[in-house]
Amino acid sequence: MTTETVHGRIGAARDDLTTAQLLAVFAFAAALSFALLFLQEPLIHDSMHNFRHAAGVVCH
Amino acid sequence: MLVDYLERGVLAGAIAGIAYGAYMAVVANPLIGYMETVAAGGDHAHAGEHAHEAGEHAHAAGEHAHAVSEATTAAVSVGSGVLWGILLGGVFALAFYFLEPALPGRGRVKTYVLAGAGFLTVSVAPWLVLPPTTPGAEQAFDPTLRIAIYAGLMAVGAVVAVLSVYAYRRVSARSRPLGGVAAALPIVALVAVTAIAAPTIVESGSMPADLVTAFRGLTALSQAALWALVAGCFGWLQTRAGVHSTAERRDDLLASP
């Protein structure tokens, strides 16, 4: 299968990796973005206060 | 192959993240600390009519300053900056793996096109309605709604980026400059619509306007630099690993059979 089309790339990824591996990758990215961008738990949120201002993401 | 891309993306993101962490430590932390003082000390600088308003900002800023120590905030913010680079690098590599065949340009140009699209999606589009907030700023709506608006604008930014690339590919076959114009149209439309229709959510309060502009400019430039660094390092790692697209190999063969 050619890997020079978007469909080809999706097919190649399916052949190369198990569903569990793909899930692990996406879960890791989701967890990291949740912690950095959306977690509102006060202690963690506030300790990232300067970062959130500097990166221009939604803050308090 | 996907794993190779991801590996290079995370490595590129770590390099960019360390640079961004250094920026957090050397520039952003002291600057935001200073701006907190300006926000808190607003009532001393502005007498009379602004005094009450500035006092409220000072109260708001004070609440946040006390939840954790300043040293913790500074250290965790630097760490978050490094993680932010790793996250962007990883997501960039995953997107690049799947979208590489659809991106315009050759070789490393593709990485910069995707970085531009990422910057537009993650930062620029949301900032058109929710500009980077300065310490002590007053914001309309509750955080949950603002997060929803931010996420919605990220989706809008992604759609605009896709439209832009699609327009370029359609038109550039006839003329490259016209393709550039076609690519710019969706972005200009997005800026125009948000400028006219979006409500003002962030009010910078008593902070001097020049300082707010400088802070926003610095925020935009540092995020753009982070994306450029991710794309640059990723492209360099791809070249080092000897990855070339089929189109390039074909062109190379045609040039020197």
Side-chain angles (χ1 to χ4, degrees), chain B residues 145-159:
Chain B
L145 180 58
R146 286 204 305 273
I147 289 173
I149 295 173
Y150 199 100
L153 284 160
M154 281 173 69
V156 171
V159 170

Side-chain angles (χ1 to χ4, degrees), chain B residues 76-125:
Chain B
V76 175
S77 288
V78 171
S80 303
V82 178
L83 281 180
W84 181 232
I86 293 173
L87 174 67
L88 292 187
V91 172
F92 174 89
L94 288 179
F96 192 74
Y97 173 79
F98 290 111
L99 301 176
E100 189 180 8
L103 289 167
R106 287 190 62 196
R108 295 178 68 164
V109 175
K110 285 173 186 273
T111 61
Y112 290 104
V113 172
L114 184 63
F119 181 48
L120 177 75
T121 303
V122 175
S123 294
V124 176

Side-chain angles (χ1 to χ4, degrees), chain A residues 2-13 16-17 22 25-26 28-30 32-33 36-38 40 42-60, chain B residues 1-3 5-6 20 24 28-29 32 36 64 67-68 72-73 76-77 80-81 83-84 87 94 97-98 100-102 127 130 132-135 139 143 146-147 150 215 219 223 245-246:
Chain A
T2 175
T3 54
E4 290 312 313
T5 60
V6 175
H7 280 292
R9 291 284 170 114
I10 295 170
D16 284 355
L17 296 170
L22 281 174
V25 165
F26 288 112
F28 176 70
L32 202 48
S33 16
L36 286 173
L37 303 177
F38 302 119
Q40 297 287 329
L43 275 183
I44 297 165
H45 180 91
D46 272 23
S47 53
M48 289 192 295
H49 175 257
N50 289 3
F51 160 73
R52 296 169 64 90
H53 271 298
V57 295
V58 180
C59 200
H60 37 268
Chain B
M1 198 168 148
L2 173 69
V3 176
Y5 273 58
L6 185 63
Y20 189 70
M24 275 300 313
N29 273 339
I32 289 160
E36 295 282 3
H64 286 284
V68 281
T72 312
T73 304
V76 175
S77 288
S80 303
L83 281 180
W84 181 232
L87 174 67
L94 288 179
Y97 173 79
F98 290 111
E100 189 180 8
W127 286 345
L130 291 161
T133 48
T134 48
Q139 302 185 78
R146 286 204 305 273
I147 289 173
Y150 199 100
F215 173 77
T219 302
Q223 288 301 302
S245 71
T246 308

Side-chain angles (χ1 to χ4, degrees), chain B:
Chain B
M1 198 168 148
L2 173 69
V3 176
D4 297 331
Y5 273 58
L6 185 63
E7 227 177 272
R8 287 178 212 125
V10 170
L11 185 54
I15 297 169
I18 288 168
Y20 189 70
Y23 161 82
M24 275 300 313
V26 179
V27 181
N29 273 339
L31 176 66
I32 289 160
Y34 168 72
M35 290 174 85
E36 295 282 3
T37 338
V38 174
D43 50 348
H44 299 301
H46 300 270
E49 61 190 315
H50 293 302
H52 175 65
E53 202 187 339
E56 277 174 13
H57 293 309
H59 175 67
E63 265 179 353
H64 286 284
H66 289 304
V68 281
S69 79
E70 271 177 41
T72 312
T73 304
V76 175
S77 288
V78 171
S80 303
V82 178
L83 281 180
W84 181 232
I86 293 173
L87 174 67
L88 292 187
V91 172
F92 174 89
L94 288 179
F96 192 74
Y97 173 79
F98 290 111
L99 301 176
E100 189 180 8
L103 289 167
R106 287 190 62 196
R108 295 178 68 164
V109 175
K110 285 173 186 273
T111 61
Y112 290 104
V113 172
L114 184 63
F119 181 48
L120 177 75
T121 303
V122 175
S123 294
V124 176
W127 286 345
L128 292 170
V129 179
L130 291 161
T133 48
T134 48
E138 290 199 345
Q139 302 185 78
F141 311 133
D142 65 299
T144 316
L145 180 58
R146 286 204 305 273
I147 289 173
I149 295 173
Y150 199 100
L153 284 160
M154 281 173 69
V156 171
V159 170
V160 168
V162 168
L163 281 178
S164 194
V165 167
Y166 179 73
Y168 179 82
R169 285 178 68 102
R170 290 285 311 245
V171 180
S172 66
R174 273 176 286 157
S175 146
R176 272 199 184 181
L178 272 184
V181 173
L185 278 179
I187 300 168
V188 173
L190 172 69
V191 174
V193 168
T194 49
I196 295 165
T200 307
I201 297 178
V202 180
E203 293 279 5
S204 297
S206 62
M207 193 71 65
D210 287 348
L211 187 56
V212 173
T213 310
F215 173 77
R216 286 183 179 159
L218 202 55
T219 302
L221 283 177
S222 60
Q223 288 301 302
L226 178 61
W227 279 104
L229 205 52
V230 165
C233 291
F234 182 82
W236 169 66
L237 289 168
Q238 288 276 88
T239 313
R240 219 181 59 138
V243 180
H244 296 289
S245 71
T246 308
E248 274 177 80
R249 281 198 296 271
R250 193 179 55 221
D251 287 354
D252 291 345
L253 280 174
L254 286 174
S256 55

